[in-house]
Amino acid sequence: HRLTLVHRELHDLPASFFQTRVNPLSVWFLDLSYNQLMEVPAALSLLANLQELSLSHNKISQLPASVLRPCTR
């Protein structure tokens, strides 16, 4: 699945989102651009098949390597 959550004023993306709304194993593309995120959501670790991630235009100052390891682009 391509999951686009752009301009949603998100401050966080809880793991419960992936447990109740979408199967985390089906997400290969995630766009969280133009939100209010201050850190990379820990819930991204649930996305084992994530290949593309966009976090542009948020308030994130650090990208932990552990979050980016599964991404290919």
Side-chain angles (χ1 to χ4, degrees):
H1 283 93
R2 281 181 69 98
L3 185 56
T4 304
L5 299 171
V6 177
H7 290 286
R8 301 287 178 107
E9 297 295 321
L10 297 175
H11 293 270
D12 189 23
L13 187 64
S16 61
F17 176 85
F18 294 108
Q19 295 166 347
T20 60
R21 303 226 176 179
V22 63
N23 178 351
L25 297 177
S26 70
V27 178
W28 61 270
F29 174 92
L30 179 59
D31 189 349
L32 293 170
S33 302
Y34 295 95
N35 281 291
Q36 301 297 316
L37 299 171
M38 296 189 76
E39 59 186 32
V40 176
L44 295 185
S45 65
L46 300 172
L47 306 179
N49 295 314
L50 187 65
Q51 296 176 16
E52 294 184 51
L53 173 63
S54 179
L55 294 167
S56 65
H57 300 281
N58 277 284
K59 298 177 179 183
I60 297 170
S61 60
Q62 295 182 20
L63 292 176
S66 60
V67 172
L68 300 177
R69 214 172 292 142
C71 294
T72 59
R73 296 185 206 179

